[in-house]
């Protein structure tokens, strides 16, 4: 059984907790985590609403800001720009985010600019495939996992947190079931993380794997046991 | 375990009554003293940021745009300067925000957000795009709106005028240790671990302070 505090940031309802929503709204998250949070929120109006609240705080902080001076001619240069815009036979810009996918939430489709059937899956282990989406210079990775029903993911430890968002199917770990839209946040000091994919259709997850950036962790990284991430 | 909690359990806490509009007061006086050549800028009492954006959207109304500029641009720039960008970059970004406001005014819907929220989002996205140079997908706002159970209350114009006072008051009553994590997030664009390093606090403490600060501010400011 994983101690509760090891899952403290996803809680009982398997929703990501507020500090991540605030950081998303403030624009502080990495590319991988912001994609994860936006995709997670697409499943849950309650999260969207909280993000909206946090963005409204940002708006209110702009309102409450002091006023800065502009360099000479700033407004004239701005008007010159919008005049060019005017002369080009102004038409409201069409919303070009027309691509959609039956499984992937819109923020993820927008990020990938692709649907599920256009992804190139690579072998990762028995019953498992992956698509690497992004990696940061600090070692953080965003990737998709597809695992066949019944697959037991090999036991692994973590060097850094691992965030897993279920997009299709479900899996269980330590007696907890994670369904579509659920987020699991596995702590960096879990030593034996052993998810089991539910029987039935493939389970597809969006995963962010943190890697520690401190020097001490380099030896840890050498032993990173799982999937070459 | 499916999340079965109702989508919008939260209750709104504001109970605002009608307050005279003084939204642009200082700017109005200034522009009345020194009108643009050939154009007399006057702000009717009925003008709210939202009604001005509507004028920009529908009539390409430059006077309305100027009023929005006068109010927002100096604040956007000052907000951006807090992110430790140069004066030049802050001006470039402010210009882009204002151009976007001009171009996409028709996409703003006052029933869905306050103008300041919309402007914040634009400014944040420009900053991330130009300064941080990373992709940052947006939560699907349209989808969000479709899922909403009821239209938002439309007492927004009253709320706007109180924005500044409300956030200031809300921030003031926030304990300093809670205030600082919010400021470091919004003003200095720091991640949880950067805040933890800057304040010399354990990561868990930073996170729990952010949760508490958010909950307090949200209770104070309402959801919208």
């Amino acid at each position: 059984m994983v101690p509760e505090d090891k899952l403290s940031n996803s809680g009982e309802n398997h929703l990501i907790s507020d500090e991540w929503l605030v950081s998303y709204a403030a624009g502080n998250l990495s590319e991988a985590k912001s994609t994860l949070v936006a995709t997670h929120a697409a499943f849950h109006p309650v999260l969207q609403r909280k993000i909206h609240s946090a963005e409204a705080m940002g708006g209110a902080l702009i309102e409450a800001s002091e006023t800065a001076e502009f360099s000479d001619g700033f407004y004239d240069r701005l008007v010159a720009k919008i005049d060019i815009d005017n002369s080009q036979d102004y038409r409201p810009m069409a919303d070009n985010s027309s691509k959609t996918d039956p499984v992937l939430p819109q923020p993820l489709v927008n990020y990938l600019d692709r649907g599920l059937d256009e992804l190139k899956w690579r072998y990762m282990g028995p019953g498992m495939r992956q698509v690497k989406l992004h990696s940061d210079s600090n070692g953080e990775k965003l990737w998709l996992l597809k695992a066949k029903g019944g697959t037991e993911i090999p036991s692994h430890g973590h060097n850094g947190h691992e965030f897993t968002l279920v997009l299709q199917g479900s899996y269980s770990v330590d007696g907890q079931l994670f369904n579509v839209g659920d987020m699991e946040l596995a702590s960096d000091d879990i030593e034996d993380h052993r998810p089991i994919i539910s029987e039935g259709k493939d389970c597809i997850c969006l995963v962010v794997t943190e890697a520690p950036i401190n020097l001490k962790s380099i030896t840890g990284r050498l032993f990173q046991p799982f999937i070459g991430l | 375990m499916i999340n079965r909690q109702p989508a919008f359990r939260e209750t709104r806490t504001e109970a605002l009554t009608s307050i005279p509009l003084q939204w642009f007061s200082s700017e109005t006086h200034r522009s009345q003293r020194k009108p643009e050549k050939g154009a007399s800028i006057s702000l009717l009492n009925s003008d709210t940021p939202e009604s001005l954006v509507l004028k920009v959207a529908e009539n390409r109304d430059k006077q309305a745009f100027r009023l929005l500029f006068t109010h927002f641009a100096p604040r956007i720039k000052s907000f951006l300067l807090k992110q430790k960008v140069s004066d030049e970059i802050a001006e470039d970004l402010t210009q882009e925000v204002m151009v976007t406001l001009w171009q996409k005014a028709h996409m703003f819907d006052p029933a869905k957000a306050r103008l300041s929220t919309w402007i914040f989002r634009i400014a944040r996205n420009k900053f991330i795009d130009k300064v941080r140079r990373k992709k940052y997908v947006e939560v699907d706002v349209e989808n969000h709106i479709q899922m909403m159970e009821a239209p938002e209350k439309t007492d927004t114009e009253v709320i706007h005028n109180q924005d500044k006072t409300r956030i200031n008051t809300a921030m003031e009553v926030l304990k300093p240790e809670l205030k600082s994590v919010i400021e470091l997030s919004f003003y200095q664009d720091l991640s949880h671990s950067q805040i933890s390093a800057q304040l010399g606090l354990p990561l868990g403490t930073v996170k729990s302070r952010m949760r508490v600060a958010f909950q307090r501010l949200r209770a104070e400011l309402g959801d919208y």
Side-chain angles (χ1 to χ4, degrees), chain B residues 90-105:
Chain B
E91 287 207 351
D92 286 352
L93 291 173
T94 305
Q95 187 184 64
E96 290 197 29
V97 173
M98 294 309 296
V99 168
T100 304
L101 188 136
W102 174 263
Q103 288 172 337
K104 297 196 173 170

Side-chain angles (χ1 to χ4, degrees), chain A residues 24 29 49 53 69 71 83, chain B residues 62 77 91 134 137 223:
Chain A
Y24 172 84
L29 295 185
R49 198 153 167 90
S53 285
E69 297 287 323
S71 58
D83 280 341
Chain B
K62 281 216 185 121
K77 183 181 169 186
E91 287 207 351
K134 61 187 177 191
V137 283
D223 236 358

Side-chain angles (χ1 to χ4, degrees), chain A residues 114-190:
Chain A
R114 276 178 294 174
L116 196 56
D117 51 1
E118 297 166 277
L119 295 171
K120 290 206 174 73
W121 295 91
R122 293 183 191 285
Y123 181 79
M124 193 179 142
M128 297 185 290
R129 289 181 170 270
Q130 65 166 319
V131 185
K132 292 181 184 177
L133 303 179
H134 179 78
S135 53
D136 251 335
S137 53
N138 65 3
E140 187 179 81
K141 295 193 172 11
L142 176 71
W143 52 287
L144 282 163
L145 165 73
K146 181 158 77 173
K148 285 200 192 315
T151 304
E152 291 188 29
I153 309 284
S155 166
H156 60 287
H158 290 140
N159 302 306
H161 292 89
E162 185 178 84
F163 299 72
T164 308
L165 170 67
V166 183
L167 304 175
Q168 176 185 293
S170 64
Y171 70 89
S172 56
V173 64
D174 295 308
Q176 287 195 74
L177 183 67
F178 290 87
N179 264 310
V180 172
D182 285 353
M183 172 87 76
E184 183 197 8
L185 173 45
S187 170
D188 53 355
D189 50 2
I190 289 184

Side-chain angles (χ1 to χ4, degrees), chain A residues 185-203:
Chain A
L185 173 45
S187 170
D188 53 355
D189 50 2
I190 289 184
E191 283 174 4
D192 188 17
H193 190 228
R194 219 181 308 199
I196 300 168
I197 309 299
S198 309
E199 293 294 342
K201 64 175 155 185
D202 290 352
C203 180

Side-chain angles (χ1 to χ4, degrees), chain B residues 25-42:
Chain B
S25 53
S26 59
E27 289 81 359
T28 311
H29 295 149
R30 202 181 309 141
S31 49
Q32 279 169 347
R33 278 200 309 272
K34 223 175 79 178
E36 285 293 283
K37 48 181 176 184
S40 73
I41 295 179
S42 65

Side-chain angles (χ1 to χ4, degrees), chain A residues 12-32:
Chain A
E12 284 176 12
N13 54 12
H14 300 167
L15 298 182
I16 202 160
S17 59
D18 292 354
E19 72 272 21
W20 297 101
L21 304 175
V22 173
S23 291
Y24 172 84
N28 311 143
L29 295 185
S30 62
E31 181 167 327

Side-chain angles (χ1 to χ4, degrees), chain B residues 112-130:
Chain B
K112 294 173 185 170
R114 293 183 229 177
L115 184 61
S116 62
T117 307
W118 196 62
I119 285 177
F120 167 75
R121 244 184 240 142
I122 296 170
R124 176 197 66 193
N125 294 351
K126 296 281 178 203
F127 176 81
I128 291 169
D129 186 39
K130 305 284 171 180

Side-chain angles (χ1 to χ4, degrees), chain B residues 9-10 21 23 50 56 58 61-62 86 89-90 95 120 124 134-136 151 156 160 174 179 183 187 194 201 206 213:
Chain B
R9 265 199 311 214
E10 292 79 4
L21 299 177
W23 199 69
E50 287 67 34
V56 170
E58 288 175 357
D61 183 334
K62 281 216 185 121
S86 69
I89 289 173
Q95 187 184 64
F120 167 75
R124 176 197 66 193
K134 61 187 177 191
K135 280 201 210 173
Y136 212 81
T156 52
H160 297 295
L174 219 52
K179 192 175 163 182
E183 287 180 342
Y187 291 149
Q194 287 168 324
L201 291 169
V206 169

